[in-house]
Amino acid sequence: MESLTLISQSRSLSINPNLRIFSSPNVSSTFIPKDVPYFKTQFLKLTGMATRNVIVSAAMTEKPWKRYTGGEAKGFVDEMRLVAMKLHTRQQAQEGEMEAKAPEEQRVEEWEPTLDGYLKFLVDIKVVYDTLEQIIEKPSFPSLLSDIESMGCGADGEFRNTGLERSEKLAKDLKWFEEKGYGVPEASSPGVAYAKYLKQLSEKDPQAFICHFYNIYFANTAGGRIIAKKVAEKILDSRELEFYKWDGELSQLLQNVRDKLNKVAENWSREDKNRCLGETEISFKFYREIVRLMLS
């Protein structure tokens, strides 16, 4: 399945008209959905979801983590979780503060997924996991690895082999679909764009990259499993994909990674933490573009 390998090894990218090139203080030119402008304050205003606006202001000065989380957090992972939950819609999570506008922002029970769309989703999310896991696994990004090591995770690579990795599981799922006679598409703009963004971000801003590392893995173990169950009931005769199976006790795997992330963030300045938290909105926007493929 050559079309599912890392972007650097695959075909050249054709630019989707819904994507644009942008520049940020920490990341050189890259692709990002057109409706996500990037301010020099390193925080974002999302304007693409109908009339919804989400603003994280650079004016956060006094105890900015309270502005983000609504209260004191027990550790930095808790801060990231609270920020992420607020970016859910009210229809999808009790802690959500956004109003659903697009179909993928409604309760998953209301979705009408298609098999072709679900295959597109699996292919694009695999490109993202391929990229994320190669960034962590290989020393191709010395600025990221040296930063992580200097902040408490040693050269033995504590973020490798966490048990949360998904690339091999997704490869098995896509092979099963192929064996059943389904056509597996090539990766499309949402997955390709996110993977490219992750590669550039990992080289320029390790703290911001950690936000994506957290959200990509942890979202799949929470809301991702709910989505998988409902989608499987509708189009897969309730088949459970390998993508949603973990070797070992998932709660312990997650706690191990939480502990490592909290350890890494202990030495960050408040500015570093806020920059990481501000990246949550970009993560959500990219991920929703990929999830939307299920409904296509």
Side-chain angles (χ1 to χ4, degrees):
M1 303 199 295
E2 295 179 359
S3 64
L4 303 181
T5 55
L6 256 179
I7 297 167
S8 61
Q9 300 170 346
S10 64
R11 68 191 189 289
S12 60
L13 305 181
S14 58
I15 300 179
N16 185 307
N18 289 324
L19 303 175
R20 72 175 179 186
I21 295 177
F22 86 113
S23 296
S24 79
N26 297 311
V27 185
S28 59
S29 294
T30 187
F31 300 102
I32 192 167
K34 185 184 294 183
D35 51 357
V36 182
Y38 194 104
F39 298 110
K40 289 185 179 181
T41 57
Q42 299 166 334
F43 301 106
L44 303 169
K45 177 180 180 180
L46 299 181
T47 60
M49 298 180 185
T51 60
R52 172 174 49 181
N53 287 327
V54 179
I55 302 174
V56 181
S57 173
M60 295 185 308
T61 53
E62 294 185 9
K63 292 187 181 281
W65 58 96
K66 286 190 175 182
R67 288 287 297 275
Y68 265 128
T69 65
E72 297 284 359
K74 297 177 182 178
F76 188 62
V77 169
D78 193 34
E79 291 189 48
M80 289 195 286
R81 186 193 71 80
L82 290 166
V83 172
M85 292 309 300
K86 288 178 181 294
L87 289 174
H88 284 74
T89 65
R90 294 184 177 93
Q91 290 81 353
Q92 293 177 332
Q94 186 175 359
E95 298 171 75
E97 296 185 352
M98 304 297 108
E99 202 61 52
K101 301 295 182 181
E104 72 277 3
E105 297 168 356
Q106 304 291 340
R107 295 172 66 250
V108 68
E109 290 83 1
E110 300 176 17
W111 290 10
E112 293 296 336
T114 67
L115 186 54
D116 286 344
Y118 196 50
L119 280 168
K120 292 177 185 177
F121 164 77
L122 293 174
V123 168
D124 273 38
I125 203 66
K126 184 178 186 299
V127 171
V128 173
Y129 278 105
D130 285 348
T131 302
L132 182 64
E133 288 164 19
Q134 287 204 15
I135 289 170
I136 294 297
E137 181 64 29
K138 295 184 178 180
S140 303
F141 304 90
S143 61
L144 172 69
L145 295 181
S146 62
D147 196 72
I148 287 176
E149 289 167 9
S150 68
M151 290 186 293
C153 290
D156 58 344
E158 289 188 47
F159 283 126
R160 301 169 187 147
N161 302 316
T162 63
L164 300 182
E165 291 79 16
R166 297 291 89 194
S167 287
E168 291 184 7
K169 300 284 189 178
L170 281 161
K172 290 179 180 178
D173 287 329
L174 291 169
K175 183 178 180 181
W176 179 83
F177 279 107
E178 285 187 326
E179 291 173 346
K180 293 295 181 181
Y182 296 103
V184 175
E186 293 190 354
S188 59
S189 293
V192 170
Y194 196 11
K196 182 177 179 68
Y197 182 80
L198 289 172
K199 291 171 76 173
Q200 295 190 352
L201 192 67
S202 69
E203 296 175 297
K204 300 294 183 180
D205 193 339
Q207 286 83 4
F209 173 81
I210 288 295
C211 173
H212 293 266
F213 176 93
Y214 166 78
N215 279 293
I216 290 169
Y217 281 122
F218 279 66
N220 188 53
T221 66
R225 287 193 293 169
I226 296 173
I227 292 172
K229 185 176 185 297
K230 297 299 181 182
V231 170
E233 289 173 356
K234 291 187 175 184
I235 63 174
L236 294 176
D237 294 325
S238 297
R239 175 183 173 84
E240 184 181 13
L241 297 183
E242 295 297 317
F243 183 34
Y244 303 102
K245 297 178 183 177
W246 287 264
D247 299 323
E249 184 63 38
L250 179 58
S251 60
Q252 187 58 55
L253 297 176
L254 291 170
Q255 187 57 52
N256 292 342
V257 175
R258 284 190 195 97
D259 292 344
K260 293 169 185 177
L261 289 169
N262 280 330
K263 182 178 180 182
V264 163
E266 282 179 357
N267 296 325
W268 289 3
S269 67
R270 190 64 245 174
E271 180 182 359
D272 289 338
K273 291 178 179 179
N274 287 348
R275 191 169 70 253
C276 177
L277 295 174
E279 198 75 15
T280 308
E281 298 178 62
I282 292 182
S283 176
F284 264 59
K285 183 59 185 175
F286 272 123
Y287 195 77
R288 280 179 174 147
E289 293 287 337
I290 296 173
V291 169
R292 185 177 299 151
L293 294 171
M294 293 188 199
L295 309 182
S296 63

